[in-house]
Short mmCIF file of all heavy atoms in Angstrom, two decimals:
data_model
loop_
_atom_site.label_atom_id
_atom_site.label_comp_id
_atom_site.label_asym_id
_atom_site.label_seq_id
_atom_site.Cartn_x
_atom_site.Cartn_y
_atom_site.Cartn_z
N GLU A 1 -22.63 -29.91 -76.31
CA GLU A 1 -23.05 -31.27 -76.23
C GLU A 1 -23.53 -31.62 -74.81
O GLU A 1 -23.91 -32.76 -74.53
CB GLU A 1 -21.85 -32.22 -76.56
CG GLU A 1 -21.51 -32.17 -78.06
CD GLU A 1 -22.65 -32.60 -78.97
OE1 GLU A 1 -23.34 -33.61 -78.58
OE2 GLU A 1 -22.88 -32.00 -80.00
N LEU A 2 -23.54 -30.65 -73.92
CA LEU A 2 -23.92 -30.88 -72.55
C LEU A 2 -25.38 -31.35 -72.47
O LEU A 2 -26.28 -30.75 -73.06
CB LEU A 2 -23.83 -29.61 -71.71
CG LEU A 2 -22.46 -29.29 -71.01
CD1 LEU A 2 -22.57 -28.00 -70.26
CD2 LEU A 2 -22.03 -30.40 -70.15
N ARG A 3 -25.59 -32.46 -71.73
CA ARG A 3 -26.91 -32.96 -71.46
C ARG A 3 -27.34 -32.68 -70.01
O ARG A 3 -28.51 -32.39 -69.77
CB ARG A 3 -26.97 -34.49 -71.68
CG ARG A 3 -27.45 -34.93 -73.02
CD ARG A 3 -26.49 -34.63 -74.13
NE ARG A 3 -26.86 -35.32 -75.39
CZ ARG A 3 -26.21 -35.20 -76.50
NH1 ARG A 3 -25.13 -34.43 -76.59
NH2 ARG A 3 -26.58 -35.85 -77.58
N THR A 4 -26.38 -32.72 -69.10
CA THR A 4 -26.65 -32.50 -67.71
C THR A 4 -25.72 -31.44 -67.13
O THR A 4 -24.49 -31.52 -67.27
CB THR A 4 -26.46 -33.81 -66.87
OG1 THR A 4 -27.34 -34.83 -67.38
CG2 THR A 4 -26.75 -33.55 -65.40
N LEU A 5 -26.26 -30.38 -66.52
CA LEU A 5 -25.48 -29.29 -65.98
C LEU A 5 -26.02 -28.98 -64.58
O LEU A 5 -27.18 -28.59 -64.39
CB LEU A 5 -25.56 -28.05 -66.87
CG LEU A 5 -24.88 -26.82 -66.32
CD1 LEU A 5 -23.39 -27.02 -66.08
CD2 LEU A 5 -25.08 -25.63 -67.34
N ASN A 6 -25.14 -29.10 -63.59
CA ASN A 6 -25.45 -28.79 -62.21
C ASN A 6 -24.69 -27.55 -61.69
O ASN A 6 -23.49 -27.64 -61.51
CB ASN A 6 -25.23 -30.00 -61.30
CG ASN A 6 -25.85 -29.84 -59.93
OD1 ASN A 6 -26.13 -28.73 -59.47
ND2 ASN A 6 -26.05 -30.96 -59.23
N LEU A 7 -25.39 -26.48 -61.51
CA LEU A 7 -24.77 -25.20 -61.02
C LEU A 7 -25.29 -24.85 -59.60
O LEU A 7 -25.10 -23.78 -59.13
CB LEU A 7 -25.17 -24.05 -61.92
CG LEU A 7 -24.76 -24.18 -63.39
CD1 LEU A 7 -25.37 -23.02 -64.21
CD2 LEU A 7 -23.25 -24.14 -63.55
N SER A 8 -25.90 -25.83 -58.93
CA SER A 8 -26.56 -25.55 -57.64
C SER A 8 -25.52 -25.19 -56.59
O SER A 8 -24.36 -25.50 -56.65
CB SER A 8 -27.37 -26.73 -57.19
OG SER A 8 -26.57 -27.89 -56.90
N ASN A 9 -26.06 -24.53 -55.51
CA ASN A 9 -25.26 -24.13 -54.34
C ASN A 9 -23.98 -23.34 -54.70
O ASN A 9 -22.90 -23.70 -54.32
CB ASN A 9 -24.86 -25.40 -53.55
CG ASN A 9 -26.05 -26.01 -52.87
OD1 ASN A 9 -26.45 -25.63 -51.76
ND2 ASN A 9 -26.69 -27.03 -53.49
N ASN A 10 -24.18 -22.29 -55.51
CA ASN A 10 -23.12 -21.35 -55.81
C ASN A 10 -23.58 -19.94 -55.39
O ASN A 10 -24.48 -19.85 -54.56
CB ASN A 10 -22.71 -21.43 -57.27
CG ASN A 10 -21.74 -22.57 -57.54
OD1 ASN A 10 -20.54 -22.42 -57.24
ND2 ASN A 10 -22.22 -23.66 -58.13
N GLU A 11 -23.09 -18.95 -56.05
CA GLU A 11 -23.42 -17.58 -55.68
C GLU A 11 -23.83 -16.78 -56.94
O GLU A 11 -23.61 -15.55 -57.03
CB GLU A 11 -22.26 -16.88 -54.98
CG GLU A 11 -21.89 -17.63 -53.64
CD GLU A 11 -20.65 -17.03 -52.96
OE1 GLU A 11 -20.15 -16.00 -53.44
OE2 GLU A 11 -20.17 -17.64 -52.02
N PHE A 12 -24.52 -17.44 -57.86
CA PHE A 12 -24.96 -16.76 -59.06
C PHE A 12 -26.11 -15.80 -58.75
O PHE A 12 -27.10 -16.21 -58.17
CB PHE A 12 -25.43 -17.80 -60.14
CG PHE A 12 -24.33 -18.60 -60.70
CD1 PHE A 12 -24.16 -19.90 -60.30
CD2 PHE A 12 -23.43 -18.05 -61.62
CE1 PHE A 12 -23.16 -20.71 -60.84
CE2 PHE A 12 -22.41 -18.84 -62.16
CZ PHE A 12 -22.25 -20.18 -61.75
N ALA A 13 -25.98 -14.57 -59.21
CA ALA A 13 -27.10 -13.60 -59.13
C ALA A 13 -27.84 -13.54 -60.46
O ALA A 13 -28.97 -13.08 -60.51
CB ALA A 13 -26.56 -12.22 -58.75
N GLU A 14 -27.20 -14.02 -61.50
CA GLU A 14 -27.82 -14.04 -62.79
C GLU A 14 -27.13 -15.08 -63.67
O GLU A 14 -25.99 -15.49 -63.42
CB GLU A 14 -27.77 -12.66 -63.50
CG GLU A 14 -26.35 -12.17 -63.78
CD GLU A 14 -26.37 -10.86 -64.48
OE1 GLU A 14 -27.45 -10.27 -64.77
OE2 GLU A 14 -25.26 -10.33 -64.77
N ILE A 15 -27.81 -15.55 -64.64
CA ILE A 15 -27.27 -16.47 -65.65
C ILE A 15 -27.32 -15.80 -67.04
O ILE A 15 -28.37 -15.22 -67.45
CB ILE A 15 -28.08 -17.82 -65.71
CG1 ILE A 15 -28.01 -18.50 -64.34
CG2 ILE A 15 -27.57 -18.72 -66.81
CD1 ILE A 15 -26.59 -18.98 -63.98
N HIS A 16 -26.20 -15.81 -67.74
CA HIS A 16 -26.11 -15.10 -69.07
C HIS A 16 -27.12 -15.69 -70.06
O HIS A 16 -27.36 -16.87 -70.02
CB HIS A 16 -24.68 -15.20 -69.58
CG HIS A 16 -24.38 -14.18 -70.66
ND1 HIS A 16 -24.80 -14.35 -71.94
CD2 HIS A 16 -23.72 -13.00 -70.57
CE1 HIS A 16 -24.37 -13.32 -72.67
NE2 HIS A 16 -23.75 -12.47 -71.84
N SER A 17 -27.62 -14.83 -70.90
CA SER A 17 -28.65 -15.29 -71.88
C SER A 17 -28.00 -16.31 -72.86
O SER A 17 -28.74 -17.03 -73.57
CB SER A 17 -29.19 -14.06 -72.64
OG SER A 17 -28.12 -13.42 -73.29
N ASN A 18 -26.69 -16.39 -72.88
CA ASN A 18 -26.05 -17.33 -73.82
C ASN A 18 -26.31 -18.81 -73.37
O ASN A 18 -25.94 -19.75 -74.08
CB ASN A 18 -24.55 -17.09 -73.92
CG ASN A 18 -24.21 -15.91 -74.76
OD1 ASN A 18 -25.05 -15.40 -75.45
ND2 ASN A 18 -22.98 -15.46 -74.68
N VAL A 19 -26.93 -18.97 -72.25
CA VAL A 19 -27.30 -20.32 -71.86
C VAL A 19 -28.20 -20.95 -72.88
O VAL A 19 -28.29 -22.21 -72.99
CB VAL A 19 -28.01 -20.31 -70.43
CG1 VAL A 19 -29.38 -19.72 -70.54
CG2 VAL A 19 -28.08 -21.70 -69.81
N SER A 20 -28.84 -20.19 -73.68
CA SER A 20 -29.70 -20.70 -74.74
C SER A 20 -28.88 -21.41 -75.83
O SER A 20 -29.46 -22.17 -76.64
CB SER A 20 -30.48 -19.54 -75.41
OG SER A 20 -29.62 -18.60 -76.02
N ASP A 21 -27.53 -21.22 -75.81
CA ASP A 21 -26.71 -21.95 -76.77
C ASP A 21 -26.53 -23.41 -76.41
O ASP A 21 -26.09 -24.23 -77.28
CB ASP A 21 -25.33 -21.28 -76.86
CG ASP A 21 -25.37 -19.93 -77.52
OD1 ASP A 21 -26.37 -19.63 -78.20
OD2 ASP A 21 -24.44 -19.11 -77.31
N LEU A 22 -26.80 -23.76 -75.15
CA LEU A 22 -26.61 -25.13 -74.71
C LEU A 22 -27.84 -26.01 -75.09
O LEU A 22 -28.58 -26.51 -74.26
CB LEU A 22 -26.36 -25.18 -73.22
CG LEU A 22 -25.23 -24.25 -72.68
CD1 LEU A 22 -25.17 -24.35 -71.14
CD2 LEU A 22 -23.93 -24.62 -73.33
N ILE A 23 -28.02 -26.10 -76.39
CA ILE A 23 -29.29 -26.61 -76.95
C ILE A 23 -29.54 -28.09 -76.67
O ILE A 23 -30.68 -28.57 -76.80
CB ILE A 23 -29.38 -26.36 -78.44
CG1 ILE A 23 -28.18 -27.00 -79.15
CG2 ILE A 23 -29.44 -24.88 -78.73
CD1 ILE A 23 -28.28 -26.90 -80.67
N MET A 24 -28.55 -28.86 -76.22
CA MET A 24 -28.73 -30.26 -75.98
C MET A 24 -29.10 -30.52 -74.50
O MET A 24 -29.28 -31.70 -74.12
CB MET A 24 -27.45 -31.03 -76.35
CG MET A 24 -27.03 -30.90 -77.77
SD MET A 24 -28.31 -31.45 -78.97
CE MET A 24 -28.26 -33.22 -78.66
N LEU A 25 -29.15 -29.54 -73.68
CA LEU A 25 -29.41 -29.73 -72.28
C LEU A 25 -30.72 -30.47 -71.98
O LEU A 25 -31.78 -30.09 -72.57
CB LEU A 25 -29.44 -28.39 -71.49
CG LEU A 25 -28.10 -27.85 -70.96
CD1 LEU A 25 -28.35 -26.58 -70.14
CD2 LEU A 25 -27.45 -28.90 -70.05
N GLU A 26 -30.68 -31.44 -71.15
CA GLU A 26 -31.85 -32.24 -70.73
C GLU A 26 -32.17 -31.97 -69.25
O GLU A 26 -33.28 -32.04 -68.83
CB GLU A 26 -31.70 -33.70 -71.00
CG GLU A 26 -31.55 -34.01 -72.53
CD GLU A 26 -31.25 -35.45 -72.75
OE1 GLU A 26 -31.09 -36.24 -71.77
OE2 GLU A 26 -31.18 -35.83 -73.93
N ILE A 27 -31.12 -31.79 -68.44
CA ILE A 27 -31.21 -31.56 -67.00
C ILE A 27 -30.42 -30.35 -66.58
O ILE A 27 -29.23 -30.28 -66.84
CB ILE A 27 -30.75 -32.80 -66.17
CG1 ILE A 27 -31.57 -34.02 -66.56
CG2 ILE A 27 -30.84 -32.51 -64.69
CD1 ILE A 27 -31.08 -35.30 -65.86
#
């Protein structure tokens, strides 16, 4: 149900392909 997700200013080298499951994301 996530509409807004802020992951900025961290240490991610990659984002898992399962991010595609967050189908309600707007931002």
Side-chain angles (χ1 to χ4, degrees):
E1 291 299 318
L2 272 182
R3 264 69 168 180
T4 300
L5 174 59
N6 192 338
L7 301 172
S8 66
N9 290 276
N10 276 284
E11 299 174 8
F12 291 106
E14 62 179 0
I15 298 294
H16 198 281
S17 60
N18 285 348
V19 71
S20 62
D21 292 339
L22 307 179
I23 56 174
M24 300 301 290
L25 271 184
E26 296 175 357
I27 299 175

